[in-house]
């Protein structure tokens, strides 16, 4: 019934279709046993994806972003090894400068610019730390290298997922007062 309702909403309000919970429908899809409902859910997923692509393409055509750039929503949050090891050619060229005075031409350009800048801001110090480590240059203040690291376990807590780690440290660290390995 919910899928029929969502389908009816789409037919009446197609402009609101991209706001539908795509990931939620994807998650419940395996649990749908009724062939008709499953077919409807698959059509909804395809419709959402197609409409999002169509809207993104239209917005990209109106924006001042180069056409060869990937949609920022398709860029993984976590970097791959080639990005970390500085093997990816041209990733810095894909960073747009932040517009401080004036306004962005549209929302897509604003979101793309800020996503890429924030992502690069997070990755840059990790990249430089790993490159320096591989060149035997001492680590700076913004990165610490832990040797013999192992993931011991994962726990779900009230504050979220907690990863239990084991590693060697060169000096004694008072973990209760230290900001190392803290969230954020």
């Amino acid at each position: 019934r919910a899928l029929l309702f969502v389908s009816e909403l789409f037919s009446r309000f197609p402009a609101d279709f991209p706001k539908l919970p795509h990931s939620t429908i994807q998650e419940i899809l395996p649990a749908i046993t009724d062939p008709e409902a499953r077919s409807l859910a698959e059509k909804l997923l395809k419709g959402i994806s197609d409409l999002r692509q169509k809207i993104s393409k239209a917005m990209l055509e109106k924006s001042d972003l180069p056409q060869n750039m990937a949609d920022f929503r398709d860029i993984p949050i976590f970097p791959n090894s080639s990005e970390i090891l500085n093997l990816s050619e041209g990733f810095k060229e894909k960073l747009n400068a932040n517009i401080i005075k004036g306004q962005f031409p549209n929302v897509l350009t604003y979101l793309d610019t800020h996503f890429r800048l924030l992502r690069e801001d997070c990755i840059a110090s990790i990249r430089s730390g790993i490159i320096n480590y591989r060149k035997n240059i001492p680590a700076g203040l913004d990165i610490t290298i832990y040797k013999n690291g192992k993931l011991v376990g994962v726990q779900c807590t009230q504050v979220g997922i907690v990863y239990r780690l084991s590693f060697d440290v060169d000096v004694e660290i008072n973990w209760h007062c230290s900001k190392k390995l803290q969230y954020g």
Side-chain angles (χ1 to χ4, degrees), residues 11-27:
S11 66
R12 292 181 187 216
F13 306 104
D16 291 331
F17 203 44
K19 299 174 191 171
L20 288 175
H22 186 266
S23 58
T24 305
I25 296 172
Q26 260 181 330
E27 289 172 13

Side-chain angles (χ1 to χ4, degrees), residues 53-103:
Q53 286 178 352
K54 184 178 175 183
I55 290 170
S56 293
K57 185 178 178 184
M59 290 178 78
L60 193 58
E61 288 170 359
K62 292 178 186 175
S63 77
D64 59 349
L65 294 173
Q67 294 295 322
N68 63 347
M69 287 177 64
D71 187 338
F72 73 95
R73 291 168 285 199
D74 296 332
I75 299 172
I77 293 174
F78 297 108
N80 59 31
S81 59
S82 65
E83 285 180 284
I84 292 290
L85 299 175
N86 212 13
L87 301 175
S88 298
E89 293 298 321
F91 66 88
K92 288 209 176 188
E93 289 79 36
K94 294 181 180 177
L95 293 176
N96 292 329
N98 189 14
I99 298 174
I100 297 170
K101 291 185 180 178
Q103 62 185 20

Side-chain angles (χ1 to χ4, degrees), residues 12 15-16 18 32 35 59 62 79 85 100 106 120 122 136 146 171 183:
R12 292 181 187 216
D16 291 331
I32 300 173
M59 290 178 78
K62 292 178 186 175
L85 299 175
I100 297 170
N106 58 45
E120 179 58 26
C122 292
N136 290 324
Y146 297 100
V171 295
Y183 176 77

